[in-house]
Structures are given as C-alpha cells and as structure tokens.
Amino acid sequence: MNTLSISFTSLGLVVLDEIRFPNQEPLLDTLGGSGAYATLGARLFLRPPLSRTLGWMIRTGNDFPKLMMDRLKSWDATLIVEREADKPSTRGLLEYEDTTETLHLHHTHPPSPRQQPKKQPPPNHKSIPLPRNPPRHANPSLNPPISQERSNQRNRPKHIPPLHNLGTSPHVDVLSPNHLELAALFGESPAKAHDKATIEALARRILDSGVGPDGTGTVVVRAGENGSVVVARSLPPTWLPPFYTSGPDGRQPSKVVDPTGAGNAFLGAYAVGYLRTGNAVEAACYGTVGGSFALEQVGMPELVSGGDGELWNGVDVFERLREYREVVGLGN
C-alpha cells in the first residue's frame, strides 16, 4: 500500500447472501455482511478522490462473482483482496416472514478463523469500525477513533462484565448497540427496548462504566422506529428521528424495501461524519442518512457517476443530509 492516508476501514465480514421473501424466487449472491455495509456507509460520504482514503480489506473464495468484484472496484476505494482459491466464499441465508422482519439468519458456509485479511491498516489511518467480534490479530497499538457494534450472540447478562471491560479501553471511542441488543444485554424484555427512558438509562449505565479515553467516549443506540440517541457526558441524551418514518397506519414508506445492513451503514457513515465534524450529534445525522440508503433495495444501492458528481439511487447524498439536518433543526 502507498502512503495515502486512510481515513476509514472496517474489519467486518463480506458475505454472499441468499435472501428469501415469502412467495418470491430467492435472491442469490447478494452482497452483504457487516463489513460491506459499514464500508458502504462510509463510501457514501467519501467522494473521489477521497474515496481512496477508504481502506477495504476483504477475503473471498473461489466462487466470488466477477461482476460483483467489478462493482466493488467501481467504488474507487483502496481495496485489498485476498482470494482463497481452494475455498468457497462466506455465505449467509436470510429468510423473512414478511418484507421487514427477519425469520432466520445464519451462515450456510461460515467464515473461517482467517476470514480477515492478513494485512493491517497502515498506522496513519483515522477510523476503524470493528466487527461484532473483533479479530484477535487486530493491532491494539494503533490509536484511531474506533466504534464497535455488539454481537447478538454476546448480548446476554453474563457478558456484561466483558462489555464493561471493553468500554474502559482507550481504543474504543463509540459503542453502538441497537435497542434490542441493549435490552438483552441487561436482561430487559423486548418490550422495554422500545421505551425511550429505558434506552437512555441503559445507555447511561454503559457510559458510566467508562467508554473511550478518560471516559470521554460516546454511546449511540440505534433504536429502530425511534431513530437513534446519542449519550455522552458532555451533552444530554439527544434523540434523532429515522430518515424514513412510519405513516399513521404504521406502514413504512414504499422506499423501505429491506432493513438488512442499515445499522452497519449507520456506523460507517457515523465514523466519517465524526471525522468531518468532531460532533457526535452531527455524526449521527450522517449515520441516519447513510443507513437510509441501505433500506431502499435488497443489497447495495446503485452508484452513478457523472460530470455533476455522483448519485446513489438517483440521489445526491449530501443533499439528503442537508434536508435531514433541516428536519431535525440543525440548519444549513
């Protein structure tokens, strides 16, 4: 790798998903995984030439589609690919009982212990969203802003001490569970996960355990239909609405097609927003807008580049950010 300064990298998985909706033909070889969606969220706000500051390290198998690889290369990131010629790619199966609720999610070909590429990000990188279960070979001597999403498999009361120990690490600046993960972590019922007061109280408990350098970190809870809340010592809990809100009948807008990956896209966009602004609430606006592009289709949004810049799903990302900031009262 050259001396280009890397502003963002994700160590999460890249997965080939099979997605099944009721009464539809299954969708095969759909790009997914926490690393893919986190990278998407960051890439949305890193237009060329800044897209080259996005470091993307992936491991693929011998069945990774060429058309998909060409699409990833079209994002113009600093892409490092390690291809295992003797193994298939990591694959997942997502089965939905309707268009928004996951029924089953599992790996049909699980990741190997060496899923992550051998190469480490260069020491001048700025932000690493970690995977749900960070790889043991991640270098703790590096000191960028780091965010982490909790694993569903570890969100149980018996895992609270390890989580709190993680929070005291100076290498974790942002901890971001979703509302259901947060409730499960403290043994609360799923019904409690939708109560804003409960979400704030549990986020505060994590924050009080010590998040970030000298306890100056942030907890950001992604709370579904309630949007997200930013909890930090330097400001009161700040709620932001989702980009797409339900109508009076409880239905989602027609543009909301598939929720897969929206949380990870939020994290990638949040990281870039924080690097740009240094403000946790402003960063959450980036995260909300970034997550909205993951909702609008199955898989990744379409990128079209032209003389006037680039559009994702026919939309200027920064224009959508401007509109959202006006809605939440942050102005221009």
Side-chain angles (χ1 to χ4, degrees):
M1 181 177 290
N2 59 28
T3 58
L4 178 71
S5 178
I6 298 297
S7 64
F8 175 95
T9 189
S10 172
L11 304 182
L13 294 176
V14 173
V15 181
L16 296 177
D17 283 329
E18 176 181 341
I19 303 178
R20 299 179 183 176
F21 290 108
N23 304 315
Q24 297 182 27
E25 290 294 319
L27 301 171
L28 305 178
D29 287 344
T30 301
L31 182 66
S34 59
Y37 279 103
T39 301
L40 166 69
R43 174 60 181 85
L44 290 167
F45 293 99
L46 292 174
R47 291 178 172 173
L50 292 179
S51 59
R52 297 293 295 168
T53 72
L54 194 163
W56 197 1
M57 304 174 293
I58 65 174
R59 182 184 295 276
T60 68
N62 52 20
D63 57 349
F64 199 84
K66 181 180 183 302
L67 286 177
M68 185 175 294
M69 182 58 67
D70 290 342
R71 185 177 183 184
L72 300 186
K73 290 179 179 179
S74 74
W75 289 11
D76 197 27
T78 298
L79 182 65
I80 298 174
V81 180
E82 291 186 1
R83 183 176 181 272
E84 294 186 293
D86 60 338
K87 295 181 181 179
S89 301
T90 300
R91 290 183 175 271
L93 173 63
L94 291 80
E95 296 182 281
Y96 290 84
E97 62 181 19
D98 55 36
T99 57
T100 60
E101 186 174 349
T102 303
L103 182 62
H104 298 292
L105 169 59
H106 64 273
H107 287 121
T108 55
H109 181 79
S112 69
R114 297 176 63 250
Q115 165 69 30
Q116 303 302 333
K118 299 175 183 178
K119 297 180 181 179
Q120 290 281 336
N124 60 344
H125 66 292
K126 299 176 183 176
S127 177
I128 303 180
L130 294 176
R132 292 184 170 210
N133 299 315
R136 293 182 180 179
H137 64 262
N139 187 345
S141 67
L142 304 177
N143 193 30
I146 292 178
S147 65
Q148 182 171 15
E149 179 187 21
R150 293 299 301 161
S151 166
N152 286 332
Q153 297 176 343
R154 297 191 174 187
N155 289 328
R156 297 295 181 268
K158 68 179 181 179
H159 292 296
I160 292 176
L163 172 62
H164 287 188
N165 290 338
L166 174 64
T168 61
S169 168
H171 302 290
V172 177
D173 301 86
V174 181
L175 220 60
S176 183
N178 68 38
H179 58 310
L180 296 173
E181 294 166 342
L182 180 67
L185 184 65
F186 288 95
E188 297 285 357
S189 68
K192 281 284 192 179
H194 298 276
D195 178 67
K196 285 188 173 183
T198 298
I199 292 173
E200 290 182 17
L202 297 182
R204 178 64 65 179
R205 286 178 64 180
I206 294 179
L207 189 69
D208 288 345
S209 73
V211 178
D214 300 320
T216 58
T218 304
V219 176
V220 181
V221 183
R222 293 161 285 121
E225 69 275 10
N226 285 323
S228 63
V229 61
V230 177
V231 181
R233 297 188 186 279
S234 59
L235 73 163
T238 303
W239 284 91
L240 294 170
F243 184 82
Y244 289 118
T245 57
S246 302
D249 58 359
R251 294 184 179 180
Q252 290 284 353
S254 59
K255 278 198 169 184
V256 177
V257 175
D258 181 9
T260 304
N264 296 109
F266 179 105
L267 287 176
Y270 181 98
V272 173
Y274 191 77
L275 289 175
R276 283 177 175 267
T277 69
N279 183 288
V281 175
E282 291 280 1
C285 291
Y286 278 71
T288 301
V289 171
S292 73
F293 285 91
L295 295 168
E296 296 176 346
Q297 67 287 307
V298 176
M300 298 290 151
E302 290 293 331
L303 168 63
V304 177
S305 300
D308 296 330
E310 60 181 29
L311 303 177
W312 294 82
N313 288 348
V315 176
D316 184 304
V317 173
F318 287 95
E319 178 62 20
R320 180 173 288 187
L321 175 64
R322 184 192 65 78
E323 293 173 359
Y324 180 75
R325 293 181 73 256
E326 287 184 356
V327 167
V328 299
L330 292 178
N332 295 323

